[in-house]
Amino acid sequence: RELRDLTGAPILCHSKALPALRTGKNPPVHPRNELGESVLKMITGKEPPAMPVEPDIVIDSDYDLEFFGIAGKIISTPGHSDCSLSVLLESGNAIVGDLVVSSPFNRKASIAYFADNPAALFASVRKLLPFAHTFYSGHGGPFTREQVETALQEKG
């Protein structure tokens, strides 16, 4: 909401994100490994408050960004959450949010350590690999395709 207020940019979300956006309450997180358990202990009770917001655009499938003058699309990449989205640009850059993150302990690329559906999470990362050479994360990075492939192999 703050970004919309500052920039006037429209807010786009997956339809499954509507309850969280409208209430300003994040759904529970589900650690998928030991790293997730450790991070959850570090952040519990420290989450900043969120303000409810009504999105301008709600999607259930790929969304072409040509209307905004951007050569790329928004695609569904579930797993971290069932409403996770990534921006895949024709340049080979991908903005992946929490799909791939930096480990807070060694800064290496890690597949999200929180996941509603681990199998879908790994499938979403594999879905992006043929099209993206650089992964921009909400936490750390950017990461190269090779770093993401290594993280997949390590299940990290």
Side-chain angles (χ1 to χ4, degrees):
R1 180 172 174 177
E2 289 181 52
L3 283 174
R4 181 203 280 158
D5 292 346
L6 288 170
T7 67
I11 296 173
L12 179 144
C13 74
H14 193 281
S15 64
K16 293 179 179 178
L18 284 172
L21 289 174
R22 288 178 172 160
T23 63
K25 297 186 186 304
N26 286 323
V29 296
H30 305 282
R32 70 165 188 85
N33 57 18
E34 189 176 311
L35 179 58
E37 295 285 349
S38 297
V39 172
L40 184 60
K41 288 177 187 171
M42 289 175 16
I43 66 171
T44 297
K46 298 176 184 163
E47 302 88 0
M51 296 170 35
V53 65
E54 185 65 30
D56 303 291
I57 304 166
V58 179
I59 65 171
D60 283 306
S61 59
D62 291 358
Y63 186 86
D64 194 319
L65 294 168
E66 182 180 1
F67 174 80
F68 298 99
I70 299 169
K73 59 186 174 180
I74 297 174
I75 61 172
S76 178
T77 49
H80 171 66
S81 69
D82 61 355
C83 59
S84 294
L85 300 170
S86 294
V87 178
L88 182 58
L89 302 174
E90 288 181 13
S91 65
N93 292 306
I95 302 168
V96 299
D98 292 345
L99 200 66
V100 179
V101 297
S102 176
S103 165
F105 302 109
N106 63 18
R107 299 289 176 225
K108 288 174 50 176
S110 174
I111 307 307
Y113 33 81
F114 298 130
D116 286 348
N117 182 335
L121 171 70
F122 288 101
S124 289
V125 174
R126 286 187 193 95
K127 174 179 164 180
L128 290 170
L129 280 173
F131 306 103
H133 57 70
T134 306
F135 294 72
Y136 292 89
S137 171
H139 304 278
F143 304 108
T144 65
R145 176 185 292 136
E146 292 75 22
Q147 289 172 309
V148 173
E149 287 172 335
T150 297
L152 267 175
Q153 291 169 1
E154 295 172 353
K155 299 285 188 200

